[in-house]
Amino acid sequence: MCINGGAIIDFDRSPDGWVANHPGEIRQIAAHNHLFFEGDARNSLYIIESGWAKLYRTLVDGQRQVVGFCSAGSIMGLEGAAGHANGCEAVTALKVRAIPVKRLAEICARDPQLAVQLIGQVGNQLGAAQAQLTSVGAHSADQKLATFLLAVADVSQGRDAEFDLPMRRSEMAEFLGLRFETVSRKMSDFQRRKWIKMISMYHFRLLNRSALECLAEGGVVEEAGYAMLAA
Amino acid sequence: MCINGGAIIDFDRSPDGWVANHPGEIRQIAAHNHLFFEGDARNSLYIIESGWAKLYRTLVDGQRQVVGFCSAGSIMGLEGAAGHANGCEAVTALKVRAIPVKRLAEICARDPQLAVQLIGQVGNQLGAAQAQLTSVGAHSADQKLATFLLAVADVSQGRDAEFDLPMRRSEMAEFLGLRFETVSRKMSDFQRRKWIKMISMYHFRLLNRSALECLAEGGVVEEAGYAMLAA
DNA sequence: CGTTAACTTGAGGGCCTTCAAGCTGTGTGG
DNA sequence: CCACACAGCTTGAAGGCCCTCAAGTTAACG
């Protein structure tokens, strides 16, 4: 899994109710707007209530690397010390809970179990980042895309094997360490091989999950005669 | 910076001395031996006292991805939930402090400030992993190697611009998302261009730090006539 | 319905990989 | 102390995968 999300921290179970009574400010961000930029003062942490966001870094030559796609339950803003090491942009309409950094100490003091949960959640994100590092560093373009689509499907919990793919081709490319043309080509390949079907530009259906899983794990999937059709 | 290390957690400053009085077991590991394997039960966290370790993942096809090189101050074992998501192998002789996972809750309860420090340290490692992801995903082989050598130099704090490079070429390659032949070639390139000098196989000197810094940031460094010599 | 951004698809080239051969350096046993 | 063996490193040549550049198509939005 290369996408952050899932583990919801239970902010309502603090022993004396203090944490529950200080739930932080809820903020709404429209799609493609920024929650914070690289280098911004790190005044708050953010926990996603709903929607998708991307965390990214910009290189001096203008290239960008998306370091994570985050959905409900993800904590954003713990990386880095002084300022935000990443920029954060809403991929879809986004609802987040903002928690002032200076309140972190009080939360840990009032509710040590919550502190342990927080450490666990950051640890999960670290593990996810390492998984993504493994994919970007050691996989082919096919493997990267297969892994990514499966991860999106796992997080989305769509029905009938239909899932949202809310990000642009270029954003997927910036996440996977590819160019958007390569992503586009491979998406077309996957459709030609009947592994996926694009219902619309940002909505797909898994036709052959096991083929994708096999590919994601490094296996080579035979085309079963489609090569002849293509020729 | 793409290498974990540095920030030392102050385990001696707990308010009632409890944490300081439970310093955890010190363990020594010889070079190239394992501290833990992928999938091992996650009974302890480890803080490096001295030496270098690598954290890695193995793919089904036998390829490996090194997800981090860790030196003094790094905390290892926080990623993943049930078992260790990474394997950990000593690169040099290694001294670690082992802290039972089940004691984590007690530590956080006794010393909330320490909990905040721990969250910060894991956050730093997350940031480092994201930086590495950026390097592996968006940099050329030259840029990757330049960034890596500078990071090693920063952590090593050698004198006279001489630094240890304790890992093998293949381990550097597995970290940078390259093949060891490519690393070897680029190392030779860098020497030919008089940017570094290998004192011995595992010991180098920075001859032109600014050229490496320029390259690491994406600039193209002219060869100043060395191309003619090479031809 | 027009404009523009995003996407698709093709052709060609470059960077890194793959495969192969030779070299270096370290440790071990005679 | 030297010879040998083997793992790690270097270097070369050829090929492949992905990138770059370019043109055309589709989707989104006012």
Side-chain angles (χ1 to χ4, degrees):
Chain A
M1 164 88 79
C2 56
I3 293 183
N4 300 319
I8 308 285
I9 304 267
D10 183 5
F11 272 89
D12 300 331
R13 54 143 291 287
S14 63
D16 60 2
W18 184 88
V19 174
N21 291 331
H22 295 71
E25 172 198 1
I26 295 291
R27 225 181 277 181
Q28 313 248 17
I29 310 279
H32 310 303
N33 283 39
H34 272 80
L35 183 55
F36 50 82
F37 290 89
E38 295 164 270
D40 277 2
R42 204 168 64 96
N43 300 318
S44 294
L45 311 177
Y46 301 94
I47 300 177
I48 297 188
E49 298 273 317
S50 65
W52 285 80
K54 70 175 181 189
L55 296 168
Y56 69 89
R57 300 188 178 203
T58 309
L59 305 173
V60 281
D61 60 4
Q63 253 188 113
R64 277 187 305 193
Q65 176 72 37
V66 173
V67 298
F69 286 110
C70 301
S71 58
S74 292
I75 301 183
M76 303 187 295
L78 277 168
E79 64 281 356
H84 282 294
N86 303 310
C88 177
E89 184 185 315
V91 171
T92 64
L94 186 66
K95 196 163 120 186
V96 298
R97 181 191 296 213
I99 296 181
V101 166
K102 58 188 173 189
R103 189 170 295 163
L104 193 59
E106 189 162 14
I107 289 176
C108 289
R110 297 251 188 185
D111 188 351
Q113 266 189 267
L114 192 52
V116 174
Q117 278 188 49
L118 278 169
I119 292 172
Q121 170 70 0
V122 191
N124 281 338
Q125 293 198 19
L126 179 58
Q130 291 170 342
Q132 181 60 10
L133 181 56
T134 302
S135 178
V136 169
H139 283 173
S140 68
D142 294 276
Q143 287 177 287
K144 289 178 185 180
L145 188 59
T147 305
F148 179 74
L149 291 176
L150 290 170
V152 169
D154 284 346
V155 173
S156 297
Q157 300 165 337
R159 54 177 53 189
D160 282 340
E162 282 189 19
F163 306 98
D164 288 328
L165 190 67
M167 60 290 291
R168 301 191 183 104
R169 301 289 184 270
S170 60
E171 292 173 319
M172 295 166 56
E174 285 164 1
F175 185 51
L176 299 174
L178 298 169
R179 299 286 115 143
F180 70 89
E181 297 99 323
T182 304
V183 170
S184 182
R185 265 183 260 273
K186 293 301 176 185
M187 294 281 286
S188 299
D189 272 6
F190 283 15
Q191 285 194 82
R192 203 174 308 123
R193 298 183 191 187
K194 305 265 191 263
W195 295 344
I196 64 171
K197 169 151 186 57
M198 296 308 298
I199 309 295
S200 69
M201 186 70 75
Y202 300 107
H203 205 77
F204 72 102
R205 173 190 281 268
L206 285 182
L207 298 181
N208 190 344
R209 176 188 271 267
S210 56
L212 287 178
E213 283 168 348
C214 178
L215 185 60
E217 285 169 10
V220 174
V221 182
E222 292 303 326
E223 287 210 32
Y226 292 117
M228 292 170 61
L229 294 175
Chain B
M1 164 89 80
C2 55
I3 292 183
N4 301 318
I8 307 286
I9 303 267
D10 184 4
F11 273 88
D12 299 333
R13 53 144 292 286
S14 61
D16 60 1
W18 184 88
V19 174
N21 291 332
H22 295 72
E25 173 199 1
I26 295 290
R27 224 182 278 182
Q28 312 249 17
I29 309 279
H32 309 303
N33 283 40
H34 273 80
L35 182 55
F36 50 83
F37 291 89
E38 294 161 271
D40 277 4
R42 204 169 64 95
N43 299 319
S44 293
L45 311 176
Y46 301 94
I47 300 177
I48 297 188
E49 298 272 316
S50 66
W52 286 80
K54 69 174 182 190
L55 295 168
Y56 70 90
R57 298 187 179 203
T58 308
L59 305 171
V60 282
D61 60 4
Q63 254 189 110
R64 276 187 306 192
Q65 176 72 38
V66 172
V67 298
F69 285 110
C70 302
S71 57
S74 292
I75 302 182
M76 303 187 295
L78 278 167
E79 64 281 356
H84 282 293
N86 304 310
C88 177
E89 185 184 316
V91 171
T92 65
L94 186 66
K95 197 163 119 185
V96 299
R97 181 192 297 214
I99 297 181
V101 167
K102 57 186 173 190
R103 189 169 295 162
L104 193 59
E106 189 162 14
I107 288 175
C108 289
R110 298 249 188 187
D111 188 349
Q113 265 188 268
L114 192 51
V116 174
Q117 279 188 49
L118 279 170
I119 291 172
Q121 170 70 1
V122 190
N124 281 339
Q125 293 198 19
L126 179 57
Q130 291 169 343
Q132 181 61 9
L133 182 55
T134 302
S135 177
V136 169
H139 284 173
S140 68
D142 294 276
Q143 287 177 288
K144 290 178 186 180
L145 188 59
T147 304
F148 180 75
L149 291 177
L150 290 170
V152 169
D154 284 344
V155 173
S156 296
Q157 300 166 336
R159 53 177 56 191
D160 283 340
E162 281 189 21
F163 306 97
D164 288 328
L165 189 68
M167 60 290 292
R168 304 199 241 280
R169 301 290 183 268
S170 59
E171 291 172 320
M172 296 167 54
E174 284 164 1
F175 186 51
L176 299 174
L178 299 169
R179 300 286 114 140
F180 70 89
E181 295 100 322
T182 304
V183 170
S184 183
R185 266 183 260 273
K186 295 299 177 186
M187 295 279 287
S188 299
D189 274 4
F190 284 14
Q191 284 194 81
R192 204 174 310 122
R193 299 183 190 188
K194 306 269 193 262
W195 294 345
I196 63 171
K197 170 152 186 57
M198 296 309 297
I199 310 294
S200 69
M201 187 70 74
Y202 300 106
H203 206 76
F204 72 103
R205 173 191 280 268
L206 285 182
L207 299 180
N208 191 344
R209 175 186 272 267
S210 56
L212 287 178
E213 284 168 347
C214 177
L215 186 58
E217 285 168 11
V220 174
V221 182
E222 292 303 325
E223 288 211 31
Y226 290 118
M228 292 171 61
L229 293 175

